[in-house]
Amino acid sequence: MPDPQSPLRAGEVAVDLPPRTDAEIYFIGTIRTPWKTRQECPKRGTPDGPICTIVFDERWRDGLTGLAKHKRVQVLYWMHEARRDLVLQTPFQRPTSGTFALRSPVRPNPIASSMVELVAVDGLNVQVRGLDCLDGTPLVDLKPEHGAHQT
Amino acid sequence: MPDPQSPLRAGEVAVDLPPRTDAEIYFIGTIRTPWKTRQECPKRGTPDGPICTIVFDERWRDGLTGLAKHKRVQVLYWMHEARRDLVLQTPFQRPTSGTFALRSPVRPNPIASSMVELVAVDGLNVQVRGLDCLDGTPLVDLKPEHGAHQT
């Protein structure tokens, strides 16, 4: 976790977080990417980006049954380095904006969502193209894009 | 929470959930929809569906600054009635499939994601069209669709 006392940029506003949380998350795997630091990390994945590997924990193996037939999947992951208490934020070289008007990792629940190309499923390893997160990012969920196979 | 001992359908497999959770979620608001029961609820929102109102908690008011300029937003919400321990599941009138090959609410982390049309922002109320969740569903996040205003 970042230092919640780190200095705010011009225009930024932090609020007191609620006194308690309301629900709990299991990390269900780990995302392996080429990017080891936030400086290296692209702001947004591109369809021609490198292959990244989503490694599921053993417990969830059967949950991947039938996944390989899908062309695109949605990946939810936890941006574990982001602070959670800003309501107004000033991204680098951009105007100040409300948190919910941005896709910034800084938000009350730092859950990122990316729609990516499914390349291969091999046991607990799911290869995708188009992700943009740090190596070691915790996986929260993976589901097929809406479409022919949608439930 | 549902009874985790409720009977499984043919082909379904439950696993032991991990001994501990890894991260915590704040519910940041509540989604008001016309659907009071799961039977009434559409399986998937449609662009011509009714207007639903996402009501943010007061704490997050400033976070909505600048949201109104966006045409479409992504809504993350917590499917609080779903069990979390199935790896294989058998949706009604469909074959058995792995949890991660379905968009079913039944999954380790019951977070739904919908991309919907933004109709209006009025104080803490955000009106959208295209949602498909139960009235009273807890809100986890809201962010603009990727696009011109993306960060």
Side-chain angles (χ1 to χ4, degrees), chain B residues 30-77:
Chain B
T30 304
I31 304 178
R32 310 311 326 197
T33 78
W35 305 294
K36 310 293 183 196
T37 68
R38 280 201 272 186
Q39 287 68 40
E40 294 172 61
C41 213
K43 283 272 184 196
R44 181 178 172 185
T46 55
D48 58 351
I51 288 174
C52 298
T53 303
I54 299 169
V55 184
F56 277 75
D57 296 340
E58 174 63 37
R59 179 186 310 269
W60 309 111
R61 180 182 291 273
D62 287 349
L64 297 170
T65 305
L67 178 64
K69 69 172 180 272
H70 292 279
K71 296 271 189 279
R72 288 170 60 79
V73 294
Q74 182 176 13
V75 185
L76 301 185
Y77 48 96

Side-chain angles (χ1 to χ4, degrees), chain B residues 15-29:
Chain B
V15 296
D16 290 332
L17 288 170
R20 60 176 183 82
T21 53
D22 298 288
E24 298 191 321
I25 292 282
Y26 300 107
F27 294 160
I28 61 173

Side-chain angles (χ1 to χ4, degrees), chain A residues 35 42-49 114 116 130-133, chain B residues 146 150:
Chain A
W35 306 294
K43 283 269 185 198
R44 181 179 172 184
T46 55
D48 58 351
S114 290
V116 298
L131 271 181
D132 59 3
C133 60
Chain B
H146 281 299
Q150 186 234 335

Side-chain angles (χ1 to χ4, degrees), chain A residues 13 15-28 43-44 56 59-67 69-70 73-74 76 78-79 84-88 91 94 96-104 107-115 132 139-151, chain B residues 13 15-28 43-44 56 59-67 69-70 73-74 76 78-79 84-88 91 94 96-104 107-115 132 139-151:
Chain A
V13 171
V15 297
D16 290 332
L17 288 170
R20 59 176 184 79
T21 53
D22 299 288
E24 298 191 323
I25 293 282
Y26 300 107
F27 294 160
I28 61 173
K43 283 269 185 198
R44 181 179 172 184
F56 277 76
R59 179 186 311 268
W60 308 111
R61 181 181 291 273
D62 287 349
L64 297 170
T65 305
L67 178 63
K69 69 171 179 272
H70 293 279
V73 295
Q74 181 176 14
L76 302 184
W78 190 260
M79 295 175 288
R84 302 175 68 166
D85 60 348
L86 295 194
V87 287
L88 286 170
R94 290 171 54 87
T96 299
S97 179
T99 289
F100 305 113
L102 296 169
R103 291 185 70 91
S104 157
R107 49 206 320 113
N109 297 303
I111 299 169
S113 166
S114 290
M115 201 69 79
D132 59 3
L139 177 67
V140 171
D141 199 8
L142 184 147
K143 36 193 155 200
E145 189 177 38
H146 283 299
H149 298 292
Q150 187 234 336
T151 295
Chain B
V13 171
V15 296
D16 290 332
L17 288 170
R20 60 176 183 82
T21 53
D22 298 288
E24 298 191 321
I25 292 282
Y26 300 107
F27 294 160
I28 61 173
K43 283 272 184 196
R44 181 178 172 185
F56 277 75
R59 179 186 310 269
W60 309 111
R61 180 182 291 273
D62 287 349
L64 297 170
T65 305
L67 178 64
K69 69 172 180 272
H70 292 279
V73 294
Q74 182 176 13
L76 301 185
W78 191 260
M79 295 175 288
R84 302 176 66 164
D85 60 347
L86 295 194
V87 286
L88 286 169
R94 291 171 54 87
T96 299
S97 180
T99 289
F100 304 112
L102 295 169
R103 290 185 69 91
S104 157
R107 50 207 318 113
N109 296 303
I111 299 170
S113 166
S114 290
M115 201 68 78
D132 58 3
L139 177 67
V140 171
D141 199 9
L142 184 148
K143 36 194 155 200
E145 189 177 39
H146 281 299
H149 297 292
Q150 186 234 335
T151 295

